Amino acid sequence: MRAKGAVIHEVGGQWKTEDIELDDPQDSEVLIQVMASGLCHSDDHFVTGDIPVTLPMVGGHEGAGIVVKVGKKVTRVKVGDHVSTLFIPACGKCRYCARGQSYICNNGAGMEHGMGMDGTPRFHIADSGQGIGGVVRLGTFSNYLVCHESQAIQIPDDIPFDVACLVSCGVATGWGAAVNGGNIRPGDVVLVMGTGGVGMNAVQGARHAGADHVLVAEPVEWKREEALKFGATESFESVEAAKGRIAELTNGQGVDVAIVTVGRVDGKLLGEALDVTGKGGVTVLTAVGSYERSIEASPQDFTNLAKSLQGVMYGLCNPVSDIPRLLQMWRDGRIKLDELITTRYTVDEVNQGFADMHGGKNIRGVLIHSHE
């Protein structure tokens, strides 16, 4: 069938809206009519080269839509179901899934190529017939996609698609960074560095977990103001500006948990987070960035002060259970999702969406698809 989606052809290029030919779903695959897709910073990292992938590729991994066709062996969803896409096709059988770590399932291997589970493409550029991948085997910047059934989870029909797409990645990642990665407890003092689509949910997760103080370091003034609405207790333009208050709250010891959710991280910035983390505290890293083998931190601090550094993939969530739970929390009024959406775009406006992200104008932009 014919689809329409945004494709990136080269590092440093622009997203190009193109006609795409889409294969039928195979035995264990589903065809989804994508209704909405979040504009996640991770997709921009494919453009900058911070995350190496095989190009060209259809963008997008935060999706929500309707199942329109299923393969003959599909059991998880049926035609007509509303679904959220999942970042990783967790098998439920490997040693990681078996011990509750589906966020690092072995099926994640090879996802940088964007092909189906069998290694072949589902998307083809209409003009040339060239087979191309979709981001993390999805490609939600297309108005239709084919994926393995393990990357689709049924959601209630009354959940708006623009809300549901956010939970598929950014909300789960930020929330989980605080609740799972930081293991925040009542009474903790927490610092969140960066309040985009992931960081703002780390703020929400920290308050939900019972932190007494949730401080935010964010250079964009209106985002600092918004962070207070999402649960931050105080906001500062930088970590340096927050140091005095951190010292007051912790008797000079440092925060219990520092969560790094900036747009791009490097060794210097990570070292800054480690420096303000106190005794027995944890620095949580969920931001993407440099591959350089350098962190500006004292190894002795880890020993003498019993600090730890926790890397976080997908919020350390098990999405099959966590995504429905987060959506239920939204329905119960215990988490803000609508308020995360700053601007809605068409697929032809995807480059503007990322420009707005870089300009600090969005918490999260959302792509709304048409199906004419």
Side-chain angles (χ1 to χ4, degrees):
M1 65 171 294
R2 183 65 65 96
K4 182 179 181 182
V7 179
I8 185 68
H9 285 263
E10 59 185 2
V11 171
Q14 292 278 300
W15 294 98
K16 181 181 177 183
T17 303
E18 300 190 41
D19 289 329
I20 303 168
E21 295 291 343
L22 187 61
D23 292 342
D24 278 341
Q26 296 186 9
D27 285 354
S28 297
E29 295 179 336
V30 298
L31 171 63
I32 299 172
Q33 182 184 47
V34 185
M35 306 302 291
S37 173
L39 298 180
C40 181
H41 205 134
S42 294
D43 292 293
D44 186 66
H45 286 301
F46 308 133
V47 177
T48 62
D50 287 330
I51 301 178
V53 296
T54 300
L55 299 177
M57 181 174 281
V58 180
H61 60 281
E62 287 188 350
I66 304 170
V67 176
V68 295
K69 193 173 184 179
V70 300
K72 62 183 180 182
K73 293 184 179 180
V74 170
T75 60
R76 176 175 287 188
V77 295
K78 63 183 184 303
V79 171
D81 281 351
H82 290 201
V83 294
S84 172
T85 58
L86 303 185
F87 182 84
I88 188 167
C91 69
K93 301 175 183 178
C94 70
R95 66 188 296 258
Y96 301 104
C97 286
R99 61 189 189 188
Q101 296 175 296
S102 61
Y103 47 87
I104 48 173
C105 172
N106 284 337
N107 277 345
M111 291 181 71
E112 68 274 15
H113 304 302
M115 301 297 176
M117 296 289 285
D118 63 356
T120 63
R122 298 295 176 268
F123 291 116
H124 305 267
I125 295 177
D127 290 343
S128 65
Q130 178 186 2
I132 63 174
V135 169
V136 297
R137 300 195 176 107
L138 290 172
T140 60
F141 289 177
S142 171
N143 59 355
Y144 290 90
L145 65 83
V146 169
C147 68
H148 193 271
E149 66 171 328
S150 61
Q151 286 190 270
I153 183 169
Q154 184 182 3
I155 60 174
D157 289 355
D158 63 340
I159 302 288
F161 292 112
D162 54 359
V163 167
C165 74
L166 301 181
V167 179
S168 68
C169 177
V171 175
T173 299
W175 180 272
V179 175
N180 301 325
N183 193 26
I184 292 169
R185 295 172 290 185
D188 279 354
V189 177
V190 177
L191 174 68
V192 178
M193 298 169 59
T195 52
V198 173
M200 205 66 86
N201 290 293
V203 170
Q204 295 201 85
R207 288 311 301 271
H208 175 82
D212 277 7
H213 299 274
V214 182
L215 281 60
V216 160
E218 166 58 58
V220 179
E221 183 178 2
W222 79 269
K223 285 188 178 182
R224 294 199 298 271
E225 295 171 353
E226 288 297 304
L228 300 175
K229 301 175 185 177
F230 282 86
T233 53
E234 299 175 68
S235 61
F236 302 86
E237 63 183 15
S238 65
V239 174
E240 185 65 32
K243 284 183 177 179
R245 183 56 174 155
I246 291 171
E248 290 177 4
L249 292 171
T250 65
N251 193 30
Q253 300 302 302
V255 298
D256 299 293
V257 181
I259 306 174
V260 184
T261 51
V262 295
R264 186 183 189 278
V265 69
D266 57 24
K268 182 177 185 298
L269 190 61
L270 183 53
E272 191 174 13
L274 288 162
D275 283 346
V276 296
T277 300
K279 292 189 296 183
V282 58
T283 298
V284 178
L285 175 61
T286 189
V288 172
S290 173
Y291 276 79
E292 295 177 3
R293 295 177 176 269
S294 63
I295 299 175
E296 295 189 11
S298 165
Q300 199 63 36
D301 278 354
F302 286 92
T303 302
N304 291 350
L305 303 178
K307 295 184 183 184
S308 60
L309 172 61
Q310 173 68 60
V312 166
M313 166 59 75
Y314 210 171
L316 308 186
C317 288
N318 291 296
V320 172
S321 60
D322 288 334
I323 285 179
R325 184 170 64 89
L326 287 166
L327 289 172
Q328 186 59 50
M329 290 176 66
W330 171 74
R331 295 171 84 175
D332 294 341
R334 294 187 292 135
I335 184 174
K336 296 179 184 292
L337 296 181
D338 310 71
E339 296 87 347
L340 293 168
I341 305 170
T342 311
T343 311
R344 293 168 177 81
Y345 304 90
T346 68
V347 68
D348 295 318
E349 297 171 326
V350 63
N351 288 301
Q352 183 60 53
F354 282 112
D356 290 345
M357 181 196 72
H358 282 294
K361 297 179 180 180
N362 285 344
I363 298 173
R364 182 62 102 219
V366 171
L367 191 69
I368 304 298
H369 283 296
S370 64
H371 303 86
E372 298 176 357

